[in-house]
Amino acid sequence: MNYFENTKILAPYDFSEFSRAAVETAIKIAGKNENVTVLHVVDPSPLYGYSGDMGLELGAGRVLGVPDVDLASEIDDQHEKKALQSLKNEFSDGRHQGLNFDTAVNEAAHGITEYAEHHAFGLIVLPSHGRTGVKRLLIGSTAERVVRLAHCPVLVLRE
């Protein structure tokens, strides 16, 4: 018997071949596609655009503007919509019918663990490496942070 059969499983997806393999593993463990949610976490956009209205005078005619938070939020919304559509396109074949898809705007590890806790997932399945292998060496692995922060078991697939 599979311990995680009929358990809600979260499979974070960063559009890499490694995360695709993790989704496939999650499907095998879950027993049915309806128990698997594929989540793409969108990095929050930097605060694009500055308003000159409330800027600070720096001298020599230069003005430091105030970040336009509304514009940053609009950019995040656009990225989320695009990512969700890309997820659905990526898994549009019949074999993946019934999978659930969602997006969140957050730093990757926190986005994954907060989403999993908020939606009461019983398992997170993710690869040890994603699309940012070199970045992992510089700032620490998303998989390692997910293991530390998660409220539920985490299966890290070694690549």
Side-chain angles (χ1 to χ4, degrees), residues 38-149:
V38 181
L39 173 72
H40 179 72
V41 179
V42 177
D43 283 331
S45 68
L47 297 173
Y48 292 105
Y50 288 87
S51 159
D53 300 340
M54 299 170 59
L56 303 171
E57 180 67 42
L58 297 178
R62 290 182 288 179
V63 174
L64 176 63
V66 176
D68 188 340
V69 177
D70 291 333
L71 181 57
S73 177
E74 183 180 321
I75 290 168
D76 288 341
D77 289 346
Q78 291 171 5
H79 288 171
E80 269 193 295
K81 287 176 186 170
K82 239 183 212 183
L84 188 58
Q85 189 57 51
S86 294
L87 281 175
K88 290 177 180 179
N89 292 342
E90 188 95 6
F91 296 98
S92 62
D93 61 338
R95 185 168 173 270
H96 295 103
Q97 188 133 9
L99 289 176
N100 302 294
F101 302 100
D102 207 352
T103 59
V105 176
N106 204 334
E107 176 275 324
H110 284 99
I112 294 165
T113 56
E114 289 170 12
Y115 187 92
E117 186 169 6
H118 184 262
H119 295 283
F121 281 88
L123 177 67
I124 300 171
V125 178
L126 75 165
S128 61
H129 297 79
R131 65 187 159 109
T132 55
V134 173
K135 187 176 179 184
R136 181 187 68 83
L137 297 173
L138 300 174
I139 64 168
S141 166
T142 298
E144 290 173 89
R145 287 181 293 184
V146 168
V147 168
R148 282 196 316 266
L149 297 171

Side-chain angles (χ1 to χ4, degrees), residues 1-9 28-32 35:
M1 180 176 166
N2 177 352
Y3 179 79
F4 291 104
E5 190 171 28
N6 297 320
T7 298
K8 286 176 61 176
I9 298 177
K28 289 177 190 171
I29 292 170
K32 54 185 172 178
N35 292 337

